[in-house]
Amino acid sequence: MVSDQISKKVVVLGTGGTIAGTAQSASDNIGYTAAQVGVAQLLDGVPGLPAVLQGHDLCTEQVAQVDSKDMRFDIWLALAQRVVHHLAQAEVSAVVITHGTDTLEETAYFLHAVLPQDLISAKPVVLTCAMRPASALNPDGPQNLMDAVTVALTPGSHGVVAVCAGTVHGGLDVQKAHTYKVDAFTSGDAGPLAYVEEAQVRLLRKWPLAQVNKGHVAIKDILKDEVWPRVEIVMNYAGCDGQVVLAMLQPRDSVAPLRGLVVAGTGNGTLHHDLERALRQAVQSGVKVVRSTRCANGRVLPVADSEFAHSEDLSPVKARIALMLGLMSR
Ligand code: SIN
């Protein structure tokens, strides 16, 4: 268990993203290169931070420097290990992570699924990001960083959460929903967890619980040097004939065999009958199939007699992570 000693430090782990991006011109909000500025330098550019830090020290560590579209499993593992290392220190109150917006929801879910319950039910892990590069005329990163630290130091805050544009989302629910607006995230049906209003957190529902039993995988069980189980995502759409699934079932040199498929079905995870037939063939070949939905909101409800598992409230990208982790822990 985490002890009750006085905590005096906030650790900020940098992983890259637009928040650390730069463009040739300050008026360019899209033609930039992500992951250019180090996390320590980013924090130097936030003048209001000392006020929200309430006397806490700020420590930084650059865990990675990537555009999050290029996120990798080895970075996830290193990130989870560094979060555990820091949260286990009595003097650390919270960990903040700077991250690209594009796969933030995947990293948030991964951390939610693997971080030890005793740590994240006592302290928060707060992911934050920006939609505009650090070099923009009006960057959103500095305010998001201030808000993330505010959330991190709010009494009682815990679990994996994400902060963007003044809204706090649970790691389980957060989803990027807009291509360029600064308020790019939603919590879907679940609704936001809280708002940050002028350095005050207005909590709307309970801080997220750690993932126990259902889908929790210990970090020690995550594969380190081996290839993670290959799980792909396919989608249902008009005219979908399932050929892509059949192609994936064919063994190929130097490509890991397919272990799982998440299907982003239509509506409540419904499938074109040709796709369904191909997915049944995948199951017969030993591939685990999980039915999810391409709808942005709502959960997939179980249907009687389905041969496929269902993703419940996980989006396709999160269901894929759950399936990879599940296959690893078997
Ligand atoms: C990224 O995800 O790293 C680039 C895009 C962004 O952060 O908005």
Side-chain angles (χ1 to χ4, degrees):
M1 280 297 291
V2 177
S3 84
D4 224 11
Q5 290 171 37
I6 301 163
S7 301
K8 293 211 198 90
K9 208 196 274 183
V10 174
V11 177
V12 185
L13 303 178
T15 70
T18 293
I19 190 168
T22 53
Q24 297 286 343
S25 149
S27 59
D28 191 350
N29 283 330
I30 53 168
Y32 58 86
T33 309
Q36 300 299 301
V37 183
V39 63
Q41 196 183 332
L42 280 184
L43 289 159
D44 284 346
V46 186
L49 260 187
V52 293
L53 274 169
Q54 308 161 32
H56 285 68
D57 290 335
L58 200 60
C59 295
T60 60
E61 186 180 322
Q62 196 76 48
V63 175
Q65 187 65 299
V66 291
D67 185 320
S68 81
K69 71 179 172 56
D70 302 319
M71 185 48 70
R72 304 189 313 258
F73 301 148
D74 62 313
I75 297 177
W76 273 355
L77 182 55
L79 185 61
Q81 287 168 332
R82 295 314 291 157
V83 171
V84 169
H85 166 82
H86 289 294
L87 285 186
Q89 316 299 315
E91 71 275 16
V92 172
S93 304
V95 170
V96 171
I97 300 170
T98 58
H99 199 289
T101 59
D102 286 343
T103 59
L104 180 146
E105 68 209 62
E106 294 180 55
T107 301
Y109 177 72
F110 171 74
L111 293 174
H112 174 78
V114 304
L115 291 177
Q117 186 195 356
D118 61 340
L119 292 180
I120 59 164
S121 49
K123 298 179 182 183
V125 176
V126 185
L127 289 104
T128 195
C129 56
M131 289 296 286
R132 294 180 182 154
S135 57
L137 274 180
N138 189 9
D140 51 332
Q143 182 67 54
N144 286 345
L145 273 168
M146 289 241 295
D147 290 348
V149 173
T150 299
V151 170
L153 292 178
T154 294
S157 68
H158 60 83
V160 179
V161 300
V163 175
C164 183
T167 305
V168 187
H169 306 272
L172 195 58
D173 310 308
V174 65
Q175 203 168 340
K176 187 169 178 181
H178 203 279
T179 51
Y180 66 87
K181 284 187 182 168
V182 289
D183 192 3
F185 287 88
T186 172
S187 290
D189 278 359
L193 204 63
Y195 294 115
V196 187
E197 299 168 336
E198 298 298 300
Q200 293 293 322
V201 171
R202 176 158 64 96
L203 196 61
L204 304 175
R205 46 193 187 90
K206 289 183 181 149
W207 295 105
L209 294 172
Q211 180 145 315
V212 275
N213 308 326
K214 194 184 122 190
H216 178 80
V217 175
I219 293 178
K220 68 171 177 43
D221 292 329
I222 297 173
L223 297 178
K224 289 176 184 63
D225 302 318
E226 295 157 65
V227 179
W228 284 22
R230 192 153 80 87
V231 176
E232 301 290 349
I233 300 174
V234 290
M235 191 187 264
N236 190 40
Y237 39 79
C240 185
D241 63 6
Q243 287 302 320
V244 69
V245 171
L246 300 180
M248 277 193 276
L249 295 178
Q250 297 306 315
R252 276 185 299 152
D253 286 348
S254 69
V255 177
L258 188 67
R259 301 276 312 279
L261 271 174
V262 173
V263 55
T266 29
N268 187 38
T270 54
L271 305 169
H272 190 292
H273 50 71
D274 289 338
L275 175 61
E276 188 166 1
R277 197 174 307 122
L279 290 170
R280 265 198 228 114
Q281 207 166 311
V283 171
Q284 278 156 15
S285 318
V287 173
K288 177 98 183 157
V289 175
V290 174
R291 208 166 48 83
S292 180
T293 178
R294 65 183 217 182
C295 292
N297 289 299
R299 52 185 293 163
V300 172
L301 301 170
V303 285
D305 303 328
S306 174
E307 313 171 35
F308 312 130
H310 61 94
S311 66
E312 301 183 7
D313 47 3
L314 296 181
S315 65
V317 289
K318 291 181 182 178
R320 173 176 176 260
I321 296 166
L323 184 49
M324 279 191 294
L325 292 172
L327 288 167
M328 253 181 238
S329 63
R330 262 178 220 161

